[in-house]
Amino acid sequence: MTGLKNAKRIVFKVGTSTLTYSTGKTNIRRMAKLVSVLSDLLNQGKEIVLVTSGAIGVGVGKLGLKERPKDTPGRQAAACIGQCELMFMYDKFFSEYSHTIGQLLITKSDVENDERRNNLINAFNTMFEYGAIPIVNENDSVAVEEIVYGDNDSLSAIVAKLIGADALVILTDIDGLFDGNPQSDIDARLIPVVDEITPEIKALAGDAGTNRGTGGMITKLNAAEISTGAGIDTVIMCGTDPTDIYKLFDGHQIGTFFIGKKGDNNG
Ligand code: GLU
């Protein structure tokens, strides 16, 4: 039986293409809906972490730039600006439901350093004790090429593993993993359940991200490989209508469900 009915600690990941319009401006309606669903799950007693992209995309929109800067300092500056705007919006929307958020900006070196990793875990756990929602992004303004995760799909899986999450839900702009390209092949079918991420499964991922975000299906499969390897059930589903998240917790089939490997490998 797949479904996340019994999951208590859940990491959600939302990408730039879900959070912004092609103009680069924030999709306020979608963000508001997402926050309302997550707030409702919190009210049920679940512990939620939101890994959000959008800092660079929203910064680009706010600055009125025609495209993402190609140079690192340009992207870092855009992230500084967009991150503020993102957190302002999340704070405003979550406050409407009397929920408290906190920001965690993470770099790869924070996770790889024992002391900083422990500090991070302590911060997450104390946030949960306070009933607050950790909102996570990569610290794009200081993460340079050599130390960057680069995509929040991987970051969300690392975070899920770090905090011993029960589930990871990656929201994207297609319905899940297909056995062909749904944009060009009308016979392409959604794969409802994957019990092992084999090279054949990976070969099904195209490599396209959007010009607002990064990633594409392959980074999501890489993330699912990390999380399922740590025993964490993982779902890739469409975030266009965030109320679809309810279906997942009502035990209905939605998106592609990657079964977490249960056993002694949850390290
Ligand atoms: N951390 C980047 C941002 O907030 C996004 C990375 C990604 O697209 O996965 O803009």
Side-chain angles (χ1 to χ4, degrees):
M1 143 92 190
T2 55
L4 295 182
K5 242 182 169 154
N6 299 323
K8 170 146 168 71
R9 185 172 282 193
I10 308 131
V11 176
F12 287 88
K13 185 264 167 177
V14 62
T16 306
S17 58
T18 305
L19 288 173
T20 61
Y21 290 108
S22 54
T23 57
K25 302 283 183 190
T26 318
N27 186 328
I28 296 172
R29 178 161 66 175
R30 192 169 293 150
M31 203 171 179
K33 261 195 194 174
L34 174 66
V35 169
S36 115
V37 173
L38 298 185
S39 295
D40 213 12
L41 294 177
L42 283 158
N43 288 353
Q44 290 173 19
K46 299 198 184 291
E47 293 171 335
I48 304 284
V49 172
L50 178 61
V51 175
T52 183
S53 303
I56 298 172
V58 169
V60 166
K62 197 160 185 187
L63 289 166
L65 305 178
K66 286 196 191 69
E67 56 182 22
R68 278 166 84 90
K70 296 204 174 21
D71 61 316
T72 304
R75 284 195 301 274
Q76 290 178 325
C80 294
I81 290 153
Q83 184 66 24
C84 270
E85 173 86 357
L86 264 182
M87 292 308 290
F88 169 72
M89 301 283 286
Y90 281 125
D91 199 20
K92 178 174 145 58
F93 287 132
F94 274 109
S95 297
E96 285 177 10
Y97 301 99
S98 307
H99 287 300
T100 301
I101 63 164
Q103 169 182 266
L104 279 118
L105 296 178
I106 299 177
T107 60
K108 199 174 196 172
S109 47
D110 296 323
V111 177
E112 287 174 354
N113 173 286
D114 288 348
E115 193 180 335
R116 272 146 67 191
R117 185 176 58 250
N118 277 337
N119 290 340
L120 264 178
I121 295 171
N122 291 340
F124 274 113
N125 285 333
T126 311
M127 290 278 283
F128 291 135
E129 275 168 35
Y130 289 156
I133 308 131
I135 301 199
V136 178
N137 196 355
E138 182 151 21
N139 195 349
D140 297 312
S141 304
V142 300
V144 288
E145 222 79 44
E146 305 75 49
I147 55 150
V148 84
Y149 284 120
D151 70 87
N152 276 1
D153 297 319
S154 316
L155 180 65
S156 66
I158 304 278
V159 166
K161 200 172 156 181
L162 204 64
I163 62 165
D166 300 313
L168 168 64
V169 179
I170 299 179
L171 300 168
T172 183
D173 49 13
I174 58 167
D175 289 337
L177 180 67
F178 283 79
D179 62 4
N181 182 348
Q183 269 144 16
S184 54
D185 175 4
I186 51 161
D187 291 326
R189 292 279 166 267
L190 180 76
I191 302 177
V193 181
V194 172
D195 52 18
E196 193 169 358
I197 302 172
T198 58
E200 291 73 30
I201 290 286
K202 279 206 172 170
L204 295 173
D207 53 6
T210 66
N211 58 5
R212 283 172 291 136
T214 55
M217 191 48 77
I218 191 65
T219 58
K220 291 171 182 58
L221 290 183
N222 290 339
E225 202 167 29
I226 297 170
S227 49
T228 54
I232 301 165
D233 290 331
T234 301
V235 177
I236 298 176
M237 64 176 278
C238 188
T240 303
D241 180 357
T243 57
D244 282 343
I245 293 170
Y246 284 123
K247 296 185 186 151
L248 201 58
F249 290 91
D250 289 342
H252 299 300
Q253 167 56 49
I254 184 147
T256 302
F257 192 100
F258 298 80
I259 301 174
K261 287 189 183 151
K262 309 295 182 242
D264 55 4
N265 53 357
N266 303 6

